[in-house]
Amino acid sequence: MKPITLIQLLIEERRAGRINAELSLLIEVVARACKRIAVATGKGALGGVLGEAGTDNVQGEAQKKLDVISNEILLEANAWGGHLAACASEEMEDPQPIPDAYPKGGHLLLFDPLDGSSNIDVNISVGTIFSVLQRPAEHGENVATEEFLQPGSCQVAAGYVVYGPSTELVLTVGHGTHVFTLDREVGSFLLTERDVRIPESTSEFAVNMSNQRHWEAPMQRYIGDLLAGKDGPRERDFNMRWVGSMVADVHRILTRGGIFSYPLDAKTTSKGGKLRLMYEANPMAFIVEQAGGAASTGRQRMLDVAPTALHQRVPVFLGSKDEVETAVRYHQAD
Ligand code: AHM
C-alpha cells in the first residue's frame, strides 16, 4: 500500500481532534521550509553555500552561511500564514514578531534552523529542530519573551528534519512519534514509520569523549562503568557512536536505541551546559518520550524544567528508557 503523506496524517490528526487547523498549517509550513533547506544543503559546494557567513550568533558562535540561509527560509515561510504570533531562533537574540502587514495566530514557534552546522563543510548529516507552543491566554498586544518561557511539557508539537542520505521528518503532536521520508521526485513527505518505538534497553552510547576529564564525578563513574564492559559492573560490552550533529545522533537512537548525552563539564558549567533547552533539548525530549524513551538533565525530567531564559543551556541525557534511568541513578547517588 502506498504510504500516506504528511498532509494526510495532519488531516487524520485534525479529524481525531488532536490538532486544530492553525497547528496543521504551521506544521505544513515548517515542513515546506525544510524542503527548501534540504535543497540548499544538498547543493553543497555547487550552491556556493558552504563556509563561514562572517558573523556571530547570539551565542557568540561563528555562523555558517547555511545557518543564516536556513534561518531566513524559516522566518520568511512563517511570516504570512496567520498561524503564528512570533518565532524564536537559536540564531537570533530576541523573538521575531510577525510583521504588522500579516494576521497573527495563537502559536509560538522556536527553532534551531541548522543543528550540527560544524558538519556542513564535511558533508555529514545536519538537521533542523523545531518546537511549538501556544501563546498564553493572558497576553498583551506585543509578544513578550516571557511568553516563550514555558516548560517542555507545554509543547503542542515538536519535530526535526535530518538532511542525510535521505531527508526525513520526525514529528510528534503528543500522540506518538512518526517518521516521514521525503520523496524527492514528488516533493512530498511520506509516512514511513508510524508510532516509532525506541528499544528500552541498549548497549550503545553517544557522547563527546574528548570532554571526559572535564565531567562531574557521577558522569565519570557512569561512562567508566560502560567502558569497563563485560569486566565491569554492567557485565556487557558497550559500543560508542558520536556524529556531532544532535539530529543525526538522536535519529540513530530513535531508530535502533542508545543513549545520547551532553553532560555538564567544567568548560560549560557556568553557562549551564552546551545544548539549548528551548531549541534542542525540549523538542528532542518530547519526540523521544512520545517514542517510549526518556529525557533528563541527569537530575530532573527534561520536560519539567522551568525555563528562565530563551537561550538557556542544559545538560542532556536522552534515549532508551532503561539506560537514561541508569545514568540518572548515578547522578542522584551523588
Ligand atoms: P550547533 O548548534 O553549533 O550546531 O551545536 C550543537 C551541536 C549538536 O548538534 C551536537 O550534539 C553538539 O553540538 C556537538 O558538540 P561537540 O562539538 O562538542 O561534539
Side-chain angles (χ1 to χ4, degrees):
M1 204 175 68
K2 201 170 158 284
I4 67 166
T5 63
L6 171 66
I7 293 178
Q8 283 173 292
L9 184 110
L10 293 173
I11 291 170
E12 274 181 18
E13 296 291 72
R14 274 178 68 182
R15 286 188 183 144
R18 294 167 171 169
I19 59 172
N20 61 22
E22 189 179 289
L23 181 54
S24 174
L25 174 64
L26 189 164
I27 294 167
E28 263 182 68
V29 169
V30 170
R32 207 178 314 136
C34 289
K35 285 185 222 169
R36 288 185 57 201
I37 299 173
V39 171
T41 53
K43 284 194 197 308
L46 299 178
V49 293
L50 301 185
E52 307 290 326
T55 46
D56 284 353
N57 68 9
V58 56
Q59 330 275 343
E61 298 155 344
Q63 288 178 303
K64 299 279 185 185
K65 283 185 196 159
L66 268 170
D67 282 322
V68 176
I69 292 167
S70 306
N71 195 51
E72 276 165 12
I73 288 174
L74 280 159
L75 287 178
E76 196 250 289
N78 281 288
W80 49 273
H83 51 283
L84 278 185
C87 293
S89 163
E90 190 197 291
E91 299 297 327
M92 304 185 308
E93 179 138 22
D94 297 313
Q96 169 120 342
I98 294 303
D100 285 339
Y102 302 120
K104 317 251 177 320
H107 288 92
L108 304 170
L109 172 67
L110 300 103
F111 50 80
D112 178 356
L114 207 65
D115 180 72
S117 53
S118 63
N119 277 328
I120 293 167
D121 295 346
V122 289
N123 199 12
I124 289 175
S125 299
V126 289
T128 297
I129 310 173
F130 64 94
S131 160
V132 186
L133 297 164
Q134 256 162 346
R135 201 174 175 201
E138 301 281 311
H139 57 73
E141 166 117 11
N142 299 323
V143 178
T145 300
E146 290 64 39
E147 293 179 33
F148 284 87
L149 304 184
Q150 306 177 33
S153 54
C154 292
Q155 292 172 103
V156 292
Y160 65 79
V161 175
V162 56
Y163 310 110
S166 60
T167 294
E168 289 179 273
L169 164 68
V170 173
L171 174 72
T172 183
V173 294
H175 298 274
T177 292
H178 311 300
V179 181
F180 302 82
T181 304
L182 181 62
D183 180 334
R184 289 185 172 131
E185 280 77 42
V186 179
S188 291
F189 278 110
L190 300 179
L191 182 65
T192 40
E193 196 164 359
R194 189 191 282 268
D195 208 7
V196 60
R197 305 304 288 171
I198 300 176
E200 283 190 13
S201 62
T202 183
S203 295
E204 196 164 78
F205 66 99
V207 71
N208 184 340
M209 284 297 297
S210 70
N211 293 323
Q212 184 174 21
R213 71 187 190 285
H214 304 295
W215 294 335
E216 298 180 297
M219 185 65 185
Q220 300 271 4
R221 283 197 293 275
Y222 170 60
I223 296 291
D225 287 352
L226 298 189
L227 293 176
K230 274 193 186 128
D231 305 329
R234 301 298 302 272
E235 297 176 336
R236 66 180 197 273
D237 290 336
F238 280 78
N239 187 35
M240 196 201 86
R241 286 285 181 277
W242 184 248
V243 178
S245 286
M246 188 187 195
V247 169
D249 281 310
V250 171
H251 195 61
R252 183 187 60 255
I253 286 166
L254 193 81
T255 309
R256 69 177 192 208
I259 180 167
F260 172 94
S261 59
Y262 212 112
L264 268 189
D265 64 47
K267 295 184 296 177
T268 57
T269 306
S270 62
K271 296 180 186 162
K274 154 103 182 180
L275 298 176
R276 290 63 158 195
L277 175 64
M278 308 297 287
Y279 310 104
E280 294 166 325
N282 270 346
M284 289 307 199
F286 192 22
I287 290 163
V288 162
E289 280 201 5
Q290 286 295 319
S296 171
T297 64
R299 292 174 169 100
Q300 184 183 15
R301 179 181 172 233
M302 190 64 71
L303 296 181
D304 290 337
V305 174
T308 53
L310 201 52
H311 297 285
Q312 181 173 345
R313 297 173 189 249
V314 278
V316 175
F317 295 82
L318 58 79
S320 293
K321 198 164 184 281
D322 293 351
E323 199 53 41
V324 172
E325 286 170 359
T326 302
V328 168
R329 274 199 297 277
Y330 279 76
H331 287 78
Q332 284 170 344
D334 192 41

